[in-house]
Amino acid sequence: MAEATPLISNLAAGRRIGVISMHTSPTASLGQNGNGGLNVYVREVANAFSDRGIATDIFTRRQSPDDPAIESLAPLSRVIYLPAGRSLDKYSLYEEVPAFAAGIRAFAEREHLTYDMLYSHYWLSGEVACLLRADMGIAWAHTAHTLGLVKNRTLASGAKPEPALRIQVEGEIARQADLLIGSTPDEADDLIRLYGADPDRVHVVAPGIDLVTFQPFDRAEARRKIGYGPGRLLLFVGRLERLKGVDVAIRALALLRDRDHADLRLIVLGEDVRDGDESEKERLKAVASASGVRDRVDFLGTVAHHELPYFYAAADVCVMPSYSESFGLVALEAQACGRPVVASGVSGLRSVVRDEVSGYLIADHDPAIYAERIGRLLSDPELAQQMGKRGRLLAQRFSWTRTADRLGNLFEGAIESTQARVQTGVRHE
Ligand code: UDP
């Protein structure tokens, strides 16, 4: 894996980057369908680039007739909505890749624009970049956000495995992109070991957090804001799909209620991911009923990103029992708000939560172990407060400015070496 880059961005002001986010938009409402960490990442990096004089055109799909053709995100960042496969699921969207790539090419020609770099997010967009790079002859960086082979290694029971098509496309991207950006050292290793990526092209750049929005608030005040009184609260935030393991949190709640924590409630924020006929929310409601805690689990739907700090601050413990997570922004946000996190020990969460320091990491998905660790925090408010304080300190190491600076450094290097290659007539392999 390539060495870490210095902190200050060398990406020259005036550069223009074509960002590809085909399956989901940075303006989408979060916590439902496929909308979550990736959307936040694309939006925040574009904002930070704009502050540095670097322009981004973010290409996404038109998903509703109300979507404008172009929307401004920041002074130098805009979202361009292209008509391609409005209501198709992720795997059918693959068929739309050539049309989407053609749409980007046509837009650039119409506007007389040349991009210095392509930056794709997730495998579908990586395939778009793969097509475009062949004739644009420019540098290309890719962030996978999640990897099919990694997800398939630790599937929740009943979850559908990622199909061979995705894994094959991810392999092609790993072989061809100039820069592969992993969010954690584990993800970078996976790109090298599982997908055969060249270690010199693989770099680790951690995502960031907005520490002004996500900061500690008074708990009582936060509870008033969200309409809750006293009584202990657990919080889950995220897209509702099996991968997130919300049923483990519900079962842990049932165990805790049988002990000393009769007043305990679980708030679940987020909505179903549309994936066939199954509704994870309905399944979770059934789990809660069967566990005797249906009246103690509040499914509140999605909440706007800027309102989430009140929910984190109102909670006693944030729970994240994911089966796989490439990073885990929710855990970082909870820590930034000074709340302890009880999470699964998957690699993305290990890079955010420190076991016994800012919360607990749990190796498997046994609700009894979750109940025991949550119980420790509920019974010892001082311990919970200490862990919350340490979590805030850990969160202060992350910022979107730093993420953009590290990316900028890598991008400038890739742009310069691609330009040198083009000048000497060497094409990408
Ligand atoms: N989120 C939100 N409102 C919701 C649910 C989620 O704003 O109702 C945001 C959450 O704050 C976080 C992101 O969606 O920034 C989820 O990111 P995470 O990395 O935890 O999960 P992913 O979606 O990448 O699996």
Side-chain angles (χ1 to χ4, degrees):
M1 192 182 324
E3 279 179 25
T5 49
L7 210 61
I8 303 301
S9 172
N10 287 326
L11 186 59
R15 294 284 195 205
R16 179 175 291 278
I17 302 170
V19 180
I20 309 171
S21 182
M22 179 181 175
H23 85 292
T24 177
S25 161
T27 58
S29 65
L30 303 173
Q32 56 189 317
N33 300 327
N35 310 331
L38 185 159
N39 310 64
V40 175
Y41 187 112
V42 172
R43 187 183 70 205
E44 295 292 341
V45 167
N47 282 338
F49 275 154
S50 176
D51 290 344
R52 280 154 179 66
I54 296 148
T56 48
D57 282 349
I58 305 167
F59 294 96
T60 192
R61 275 179 312 134
R62 230 176 149 188
Q63 297 207 43
S64 120
D66 302 331
D67 283 338
I70 299 181
E71 185 176 357
S72 171
L73 205 60
L76 291 178
S77 174
R78 54 190 184 163
V79 183
I80 291 125
Y81 297 86
L82 298 177
R86 197 188 291 170
S87 59
L88 298 172
D89 73 46
K90 278 190 298 203
Y91 307 107
S92 330
L93 267 180
Y94 182 73
E95 306 298 320
E96 301 291 320
V97 160
F100 195 80
I104 296 177
R105 214 180 282 118
F107 178 84
E109 277 166 21
R110 214 171 40 243
E111 302 272 316
H112 307 292
L113 287 172
T114 49
Y115 293 104
D116 296 295
M117 174 106 202
L118 292 173
Y119 184 22
S120 54
H121 295 266
Y122 200 59
W123 63 279
L124 284 164
S125 303
E127 183 71 359
V128 176
C130 211
L131 293 181
L132 286 173
R133 199 278 288 274
D135 53 24
M136 284 185 170
I138 56 177
W140 164 29
H142 179 76
T143 296
H145 294 275
T146 61
L147 291 166
L149 282 174
V150 175
K151 282 179 92 171
N152 285 353
R153 245 180 354 204
T154 54
L155 282 182
S157 92
K160 278 192 227 144
E162 293 298 317
L165 169 69
R166 170 176 178 172
I167 289 156
Q168 177 210 317
V169 171
E170 287 174 337
E172 192 185 348
I173 296 165
R175 283 187 297 279
Q176 301 212 23
D178 297 298
L179 295 174
L180 293 157
I181 311 294
S183 292
T184 62
D186 284 341
E187 197 184 7
D189 276 353
D190 289 333
L191 282 162
I192 296 165
R193 279 185 309 104
L194 302 178
Y195 288 94
D198 170 359
D200 287 342
R201 297 186 191 182
V202 178
H203 301 264
V204 179
V205 180
I209 182 153
D210 173 354
L211 288 165
V212 177
T213 302
F214 293 97
Q215 57 169 295
F217 289 96
D218 176 68
R219 190 189 313 260
E221 170 68 15
R223 292 215 175 171
R224 260 195 306 282
K225 289 235 186 234
I226 67 165
Y228 278 75
R232 265 84 55 86
L233 283 179
L234 303 179
L235 176 68
F236 168 85
V237 181
R239 297 171 289 119
L240 299 186
E241 60 173 313
R242 285 197 186 220
L243 163 99
K244 295 284 178 180
V246 191
D247 51 337
V248 176
I250 294 172
R251 292 192 169 96
L253 168 76
L255 293 171
L256 283 158
R257 279 208 64 209
D258 291 344
R259 296 177 199 158
D260 297 337
H261 305 286
D263 63 338
L264 189 62
R265 304 190 76 82
L266 168 66
I267 296 180
V268 175
L269 300 185
E271 278 295 348
D272 276 333
V273 173
R274 254 186 278 119
D275 182 17
D277 296 334
E278 194 191 66
S279 158
E280 175 69 350
K281 191 175 185 176
E282 292 311 314
R283 193 184 75 86
L284 292 171
K285 284 182 181 171
V287 170
S289 300
S291 312
V293 288
R294 180 64 196 88
D295 60 334
R296 290 278 151 179
V297 185
D298 301 329
F299 291 92
L300 301 186
T302 57
V303 165
H305 203 53
H306 65 273
E307 284 174 9
L308 274 177
Y310 300 118
F311 284 86
Y312 290 123
D316 293 283
V317 179
C318 180
V319 193
M320 213 171 167
S322 311
Y323 284 82
S324 159
E325 207 67 69
S326 73
F327 189 68
L329 283 179
V330 160
L332 186 57
E333 291 163 1
Q335 290 188 177
C337 294
R339 290 296 172 261
V341 179
V342 175
S344 67
V346 297
S347 69
L349 290 166
R350 281 203 304 273
S351 69
V352 175
V353 182
R354 287 275 171 80
D355 191 30
E356 311 256 355
V357 174
S358 62
Y360 294 108
L361 289 172
I362 295 169
D364 64 20
H365 291 86
D366 182 349
I369 305 179
Y370 275 81
E372 194 277 326
R373 298 294 196 282
I374 296 166
R376 276 196 218 174
L377 291 163
L378 296 177
S379 312
D380 189 345
E382 199 163 320
L383 172 70
Q385 201 184 8
Q386 282 306 320
M387 286 194 166
K389 278 190 181 150
R390 291 188 219 128
R392 171 77 189 168
L393 289 175
L394 286 170
Q396 282 166 340
R397 298 183 182 175
F398 296 86
S399 87
W400 289 114
T401 307
R402 195 167 307 170
T403 307
D405 284 343
R406 287 196 193 283
L407 289 173
N409 244 321
L410 294 166
F411 287 8
E412 191 59 35
I415 291 168
E416 284 167 14
S417 48
T418 303
Q419 285 172 349
R421 256 201 320 255
V422 169
Q423 272 157 19
T424 52
V426 180
R427 292 186 63 81
H428 284 101
E429 64 269 24

